Amino acid sequence: MGKSLCVCILLLSVCNLLAAEPEGFRLMTYNIHHAEGMDGRLDCERIARVLLSKSPYCVAVQEIDSATARVEGLDILQKIAGNMKMFPVFSATMPYLGGKYGIGLLCKEKPIAVHHVPLPGREEVRMLLIAEFERFCIGCTHFSLTQEDRKLSVERIRGSLKIFQKPFFLMGDMNMQPDDSEADLLSRDFICLSGLDVKTFPADSPTDCIDYIWGDKKYKDKYNVLETEVVIDTVVSDHRPVYVRLSVE
Protein backbone atom coordinates (compact mmCIF):
# COMPACT_ATOMS: atom_id res chain seq x y z
CA MET A 1 0.00 0.00 0.00
CA GLY A 2 1.43 3.41 -1.02
CA LYS A 3 2.34 6.07 1.54
CA SER A 4 -0.16 8.62 0.19
CA LEU A 5 -2.97 6.05 0.35
CA CYS A 6 -2.11 5.26 3.98
CA VAL A 7 -2.27 8.98 4.83
CA CYS A 8 -5.69 9.30 3.16
CA ILE A 9 -7.06 6.33 5.10
CA LEU A 10 -5.74 7.79 8.36
CA LEU A 11 -7.35 11.17 7.67
CA LEU A 12 -10.67 9.53 6.88
CA SER A 13 -10.53 7.57 10.12
CA VAL A 14 -9.91 10.73 12.15
CA CYS A 15 -12.80 12.53 10.46
CA ASN A 16 -15.10 9.63 11.23
CA LEU A 17 -14.48 10.08 14.96
CA LEU A 18 -16.54 13.24 14.90
CA ALA A 19 -19.08 12.14 12.34
CA ALA A 20 -19.61 8.91 14.29
CA GLU A 21 -22.38 7.84 11.92
CA PRO A 22 -23.49 9.03 8.47
CA GLU A 23 -26.65 10.38 10.12
CA GLY A 24 -24.65 12.65 12.43
CA PHE A 25 -22.80 12.89 15.71
CA ARG A 26 -25.17 11.82 18.49
CA LEU A 27 -24.92 12.80 22.15
CA MET A 28 -27.15 12.02 25.13
CA THR A 29 -27.34 12.79 28.84
CA TYR A 30 -29.32 10.75 31.36
CA ASN A 31 -29.71 10.85 35.12
CA ILE A 32 -30.50 7.18 35.75
CA HIS A 33 -31.43 7.36 39.48
CA HIS A 34 -29.02 4.46 40.28
CA ALA A 35 -30.97 2.36 37.75
CA GLU A 36 -34.13 2.39 39.85
CA GLY A 37 -37.24 3.34 37.90
CA MET A 38 -40.34 5.21 38.95
CA ASP A 39 -41.88 1.79 39.55
CA GLY A 40 -39.21 0.96 42.15
CA ARG A 41 -37.64 -1.66 39.90
CA LEU A 42 -33.87 -1.96 39.36
CA ASP A 43 -33.21 -2.68 35.68
CA CYS A 44 -30.06 -1.89 33.68
CA GLU A 45 -31.28 -3.56 30.50
CA ARG A 46 -34.20 -1.21 30.00
CA ILE A 47 -31.91 1.80 30.51
CA ALA A 48 -29.70 0.41 27.74
CA ARG A 49 -32.74 -0.05 25.48
CA VAL A 50 -33.82 3.57 25.95
CA LEU A 51 -30.32 4.80 25.08
CA LEU A 52 -29.79 2.43 22.15
CA SER A 53 -32.96 3.75 20.53
CA LYS A 54 -30.89 6.84 19.59
CA SER A 55 -27.59 5.10 18.72
CA PRO A 56 -25.47 7.64 20.65
CA TYR A 57 -21.74 8.14 20.21
CA CYS A 58 -21.49 9.16 23.85
CA VAL A 59 -23.83 9.31 26.86
CA ALA A 60 -23.26 11.32 30.03
CA VAL A 61 -24.71 9.38 32.98
CA GLN A 62 -25.45 10.70 36.46
CA GLU A 63 -26.38 9.03 39.78
CA ILE A 64 -24.46 5.80 39.29
CA ASP A 65 -23.97 3.17 42.00
CA SER A 66 -20.98 0.86 41.83
CA ALA A 67 -21.03 -2.24 44.06
CA THR A 68 -23.31 -0.65 46.67
CA ALA A 69 -25.77 -2.53 48.86
CA ARG A 70 -28.57 -0.48 47.28
CA VAL A 71 -27.98 -2.18 43.91
CA GLU A 72 -27.04 -5.58 45.33
CA GLY A 73 -23.34 -5.15 44.55
CA LEU A 74 -23.78 -4.50 40.82
CA ASP A 75 -21.45 -2.26 38.82
CA ILE A 76 -24.28 -0.34 37.18
CA LEU A 77 -22.28 1.53 34.53
CA GLN A 78 -20.40 -1.62 33.53
CA LYS A 79 -23.67 -3.50 33.27
CA ILE A 80 -25.25 -0.88 31.00
CA ALA A 81 -22.05 -0.63 28.93
CA GLY A 82 -22.10 -4.39 28.37
CA ASN A 83 -25.67 -4.24 27.10
CA MET A 84 -24.78 -1.37 24.78
CA LYS A 85 -21.32 -2.61 23.74
CA MET A 86 -19.82 0.74 24.73
CA PHE A 87 -16.74 1.76 26.70
CA PRO A 88 -17.54 2.87 30.31
CA VAL A 89 -15.71 5.66 32.13
CA PHE A 90 -16.63 6.02 35.80
CA SER A 91 -15.80 8.84 38.22
CA ALA A 92 -16.53 8.06 41.87
CA THR A 93 -17.54 11.11 43.86
CA MET A 94 -17.98 9.45 47.26
CA PRO A 95 -18.12 6.10 49.07
CA TYR A 96 -21.65 4.86 49.58
CA LEU A 97 -23.24 1.76 51.20
CA GLY A 98 -20.20 -0.44 50.83
CA GLY A 99 -19.36 0.72 47.31
CA LYS A 100 -19.08 3.96 45.37
CA TYR A 101 -21.41 6.57 43.91
CA GLY A 102 -20.69 8.97 41.06
CA ILE A 103 -21.05 9.90 37.40
CA GLY A 104 -19.87 8.39 34.15
CA LEU A 105 -19.65 8.32 30.39
CA LEU A 106 -20.52 5.62 27.89
CA CYS A 107 -18.46 5.99 24.69
CA LYS A 108 -18.21 4.18 21.39
CA GLU A 109 -14.46 4.81 21.37
CA LYS A 110 -11.93 4.50 24.17
CA PRO A 111 -10.76 8.02 25.19
CA ILE A 112 -7.09 8.89 24.80
CA ALA A 113 -7.21 10.45 28.29
CA VAL A 114 -9.63 10.87 31.19
CA HIS A 115 -9.66 13.87 33.56
CA HIS A 116 -11.42 14.25 36.93
CA VAL A 117 -12.03 17.84 38.08
CA PRO A 118 -13.51 18.26 41.60
CA LEU A 119 -16.38 20.75 41.83
CA PRO A 120 -18.00 22.42 44.87
CA GLY A 121 -20.90 20.68 46.58
CA ARG A 122 -21.76 21.17 50.20
CA GLU A 123 -24.45 18.46 50.32
CA GLU A 124 -22.27 15.91 48.45
CA VAL A 125 -19.03 15.84 46.46
CA ARG A 126 -19.44 16.96 42.84
CA MET A 127 -17.25 16.29 39.83
CA LEU A 128 -16.55 17.17 36.20
CA LEU A 129 -15.54 14.04 34.28
CA ILE A 130 -13.80 14.71 30.97
CA ALA A 131 -13.15 12.12 28.26
CA GLU A 132 -10.59 13.44 25.79
CA PHE A 133 -10.53 12.20 22.20
CA GLU A 134 -8.25 13.14 19.30
CA ARG A 135 -10.42 15.97 18.00
CA PHE A 136 -12.84 16.82 20.81
CA CYS A 137 -13.60 16.47 24.52
CA ILE A 138 -16.82 15.39 26.22
CA GLY A 139 -17.61 16.39 29.80
CA CYS A 140 -20.16 14.95 32.21
CA THR A 141 -21.27 16.61 35.43
CA HIS A 142 -23.97 16.67 38.10
CA PHE A 143 -24.14 20.08 39.75
CA SER A 144 -24.89 20.88 43.37
CA LEU A 145 -28.37 21.70 44.64
CA THR A 146 -26.91 24.94 46.06
CA GLN A 147 -26.77 27.92 43.70
CA GLU A 148 -23.53 29.33 45.12
CA ASP A 149 -21.82 25.99 44.49
CA ARG A 150 -23.22 25.86 40.96
CA LYS A 151 -21.80 29.30 40.18
CA LEU A 152 -18.40 28.25 41.46
CA SER A 153 -18.66 25.05 39.41
CA VAL A 154 -19.32 27.04 36.24
CA GLU A 155 -16.23 29.18 36.91
CA ARG A 156 -14.12 26.05 37.38
CA ILE A 157 -15.46 24.55 34.14
CA ARG A 158 -14.72 27.75 32.26
CA GLY A 159 -11.16 27.54 33.58
CA SER A 160 -10.82 23.91 32.50
CA LEU A 161 -12.06 24.81 29.03
CA LYS A 162 -8.90 26.86 28.40
CA ILE A 163 -6.73 23.74 28.72
CA PHE A 164 -8.21 21.96 25.70
CA GLN A 165 -7.65 23.42 22.24
CA LYS A 166 -10.43 21.39 20.63
CA PRO A 167 -14.26 21.39 20.66
CA PHE A 168 -15.72 20.63 24.09
CA PHE A 169 -19.22 19.25 24.67
CA LEU A 170 -20.61 19.52 28.22
CA MET A 171 -23.54 17.39 29.35
CA GLY A 172 -25.34 16.56 32.55
CA ASP A 173 -27.90 17.18 35.26
CA MET A 174 -27.09 20.75 36.26
CA ASN A 175 -29.86 21.35 38.81
CA MET A 176 -30.41 24.83 37.37
CA GLN A 177 -33.21 26.48 35.47
CA PRO A 178 -32.57 28.26 32.15
CA ASP A 179 -33.16 31.69 33.71
CA ASP A 180 -30.79 31.13 36.65
CA SER A 181 -27.73 33.37 36.79
CA GLU A 182 -25.34 30.41 36.59
CA ALA A 183 -26.91 29.38 33.28
CA ASP A 184 -26.24 32.87 31.98
CA LEU A 185 -22.65 32.60 33.21
CA LEU A 186 -22.18 29.26 31.46
CA SER A 187 -23.55 30.69 28.21
CA ARG A 188 -20.56 33.04 27.98
CA ASP A 189 -18.48 30.09 26.77
CA PHE A 190 -21.11 27.53 25.75
CA ILE A 191 -24.17 27.32 23.51
CA CYS A 192 -27.09 25.22 24.77
CA LEU A 193 -27.58 22.66 22.01
CA SER A 194 -30.47 20.81 23.62
CA GLY A 195 -32.72 23.85 24.07
CA LEU A 196 -33.69 25.98 27.05
CA ASP A 197 -37.42 25.45 26.81
CA VAL A 198 -37.61 21.67 27.26
CA LYS A 199 -38.74 19.88 30.43
CA THR A 200 -36.78 16.88 31.72
CA PHE A 201 -37.82 16.34 35.36
CA PRO A 202 -39.73 14.60 36.87
CA ALA A 203 -40.06 11.91 34.23
CA ASP A 204 -43.74 11.12 34.73
CA SER A 205 -44.87 14.75 34.39
CA PRO A 206 -41.88 17.05 33.73
CA THR A 207 -42.01 20.65 34.91
CA ASP A 208 -38.30 21.57 35.09
CA CYS A 209 -35.46 21.94 32.60
CA ILE A 210 -32.35 20.78 34.49
CA ASP A 211 -30.66 18.34 32.07
CA TYR A 212 -28.61 19.89 29.26
CA ILE A 213 -26.19 19.38 26.39
CA TRP A 214 -23.87 22.35 25.69
CA GLY A 215 -21.34 23.03 22.93
CA ASP A 216 -18.14 25.06 23.09
CA LYS A 217 -18.88 28.52 21.68
CA LYS A 218 -15.36 28.94 20.24
CA TYR A 219 -16.04 26.16 17.75
CA LYS A 220 -19.66 26.96 16.92
CA ASP A 221 -18.82 27.18 13.20
CA LYS A 222 -17.68 23.53 13.26
CA TYR A 223 -21.04 21.96 14.07
CA ASN A 224 -24.77 22.43 13.52
CA VAL A 225 -27.72 21.03 15.44
CA LEU A 226 -29.78 18.72 13.24
CA GLU A 227 -32.16 17.33 15.84
CA THR A 228 -32.94 17.61 19.55
CA GLU A 229 -35.27 15.53 21.64
CA VAL A 230 -36.28 14.82 25.21
CA VAL A 231 -36.96 11.11 24.98
CA ILE A 232 -40.40 10.36 26.40
CA ASP A 233 -40.08 7.69 29.05
CA THR A 234 -42.09 7.93 32.26
CA VAL A 235 -40.83 4.84 34.11
CA VAL A 236 -37.15 3.92 33.62
CA SER A 237 -35.75 6.83 35.71
CA ASP A 238 -37.03 9.93 37.48
CA HIS A 239 -35.43 12.04 34.72
CA ARG A 240 -35.98 11.91 30.97
CA PRO A 241 -32.91 11.49 28.72
CA VAL A 242 -31.88 14.36 26.45
CA TYR A 243 -30.61 13.74 22.91
CA VAL A 244 -28.87 15.92 20.31
CA ARG A 245 -27.76 15.04 16.78
CA LEU A 246 -25.13 17.24 15.14
CA SER A 247 -23.47 17.63 11.78
CA VAL A 248 -19.76 18.26 12.21
CA GLU A 249 -17.30 19.70 9.72
Side-chain angles (χ1 to χ4, degrees):
M1 186 181 291
K3 182 177 179 181
S4 59
L5 181 57
C6 289
V7 171
C8 289
I9 292 173
L10 177 61
L11 288 173
L12 284 171
S13 298
V14 171
C15 290
N16 285 339
L17 280 175
L18 271 178
E21 299 177 7
E23 296 81 10
F25 183 56
R26 301 171 182 225
L27 300 173
M28 295 184 77
T29 184
Y30 199 11
N31 182 323
I32 63 168
H33 192 239
H34 62 269
E36 180 183 318
M38 299 287 278
D39 56 0
R41 189 172 132 213
L42 189 74
D43 192 333
C44 295
E45 291 184 4
R46 65 182 181 181
I47 292 173
R49 286 196 298 271
V50 169
L51 296 173
L52 283 171
S53 69
K54 293 300 178 184
S55 301
Y57 177 84
C58 187
V59 185
V61 187
Q62 304 85 47
E63 294 195 15
I64 304 168
D65 278 26
S66 176
T68 70
R70 178 166 63 178
V71 296
E72 303 175 349
L74 289 175
D75 184 332
I76 294 297
L77 192 66
Q78 186 70 52
K79 187 77 172 175
I80 297 170
N83 284 314
M84 297 182 68
K85 296 181 172 54
M86 297 182 81
F87 187 88
V89 182
F90 180 64
S91 184
T93 56
M94 64 181 185
Y96 187 74
L97 294 178
K100 297 178 180 179
Y101 174 82
I103 60 175
L105 288 162
L106 297 164
C107 311
K108 279 194 173 180
E109 306 282 341
K110 183 177 179 179
I112 61 173
V114 175
H115 310 270
H116 306 262
V117 182
L119 299 177
R122 61 197 67 189
E123 75 284 355
E124 65 180 69
V125 178
R126 303 292 177 167
M127 189 74 65
L128 169 65
L129 170 63
I130 303 171
E132 183 178 358
F133 300 88
E134 289 290 345
R135 294 185 61 199
F136 57 92
C137 293
I138 297 177
C140 170
T141 193
H142 186 188
F143 278 0
S144 169
L145 296 171
T146 305
Q147 186 173 45
E148 184 179 349
D149 289 339
R150 294 197 297 269
K151 287 181 178 179
L152 292 171
S153 294
V154 170
E155 291 289 7
R156 196 161 295 178
I157 289 171
R158 294 178 70 207
S160 297
L161 193 63
K162 298 174 184 177
I163 299 172
F164 303 102
Q165 300 303 311
K166 58 184 79 173
F168 192 110
F169 299 97
L170 176 67
M171 307 191 285
D173 173 359
M174 297 184 172
N175 280 317
M176 65 183 185
Q177 299 291 340
D179 56 355
D180 285 341
S181 57
E182 59 270 34
D184 183 62
L185 184 62
L186 190 63
S187 67
R188 296 180 186 179
D189 293 296
F190 289 91
I191 298 169
C192 185
L193 307 178
S194 54
L196 296 171
D197 57 349
V198 297
K199 308 301 182 185
T200 63
F201 178 84
D204 54 351
S205 184
T207 57
D208 297 319
C209 176
I210 57 176
D211 303 272
Y212 303 87
I213 298 175
W214 301 79
D216 187 345
K217 190 175 283 188
K218 291 195 307 293
Y219 296 93
K220 63 181 181 180
D221 59 331
K222 298 295 184 181
Y223 54 84
N224 291 298
V225 176
L226 300 176
E227 181 183 12
T228 66
E229 182 181 348
V230 175
V231 180
I232 298 176
D233 188 285
T234 62
V235 178
V236 173
S237 174
D238 61 344
H239 287 241
R240 293 186 179 185
V242 177
Y243 158 79
V244 166
R245 182 167 63 95
L246 305 170
S247 65
V248 184
E249 293 182 6

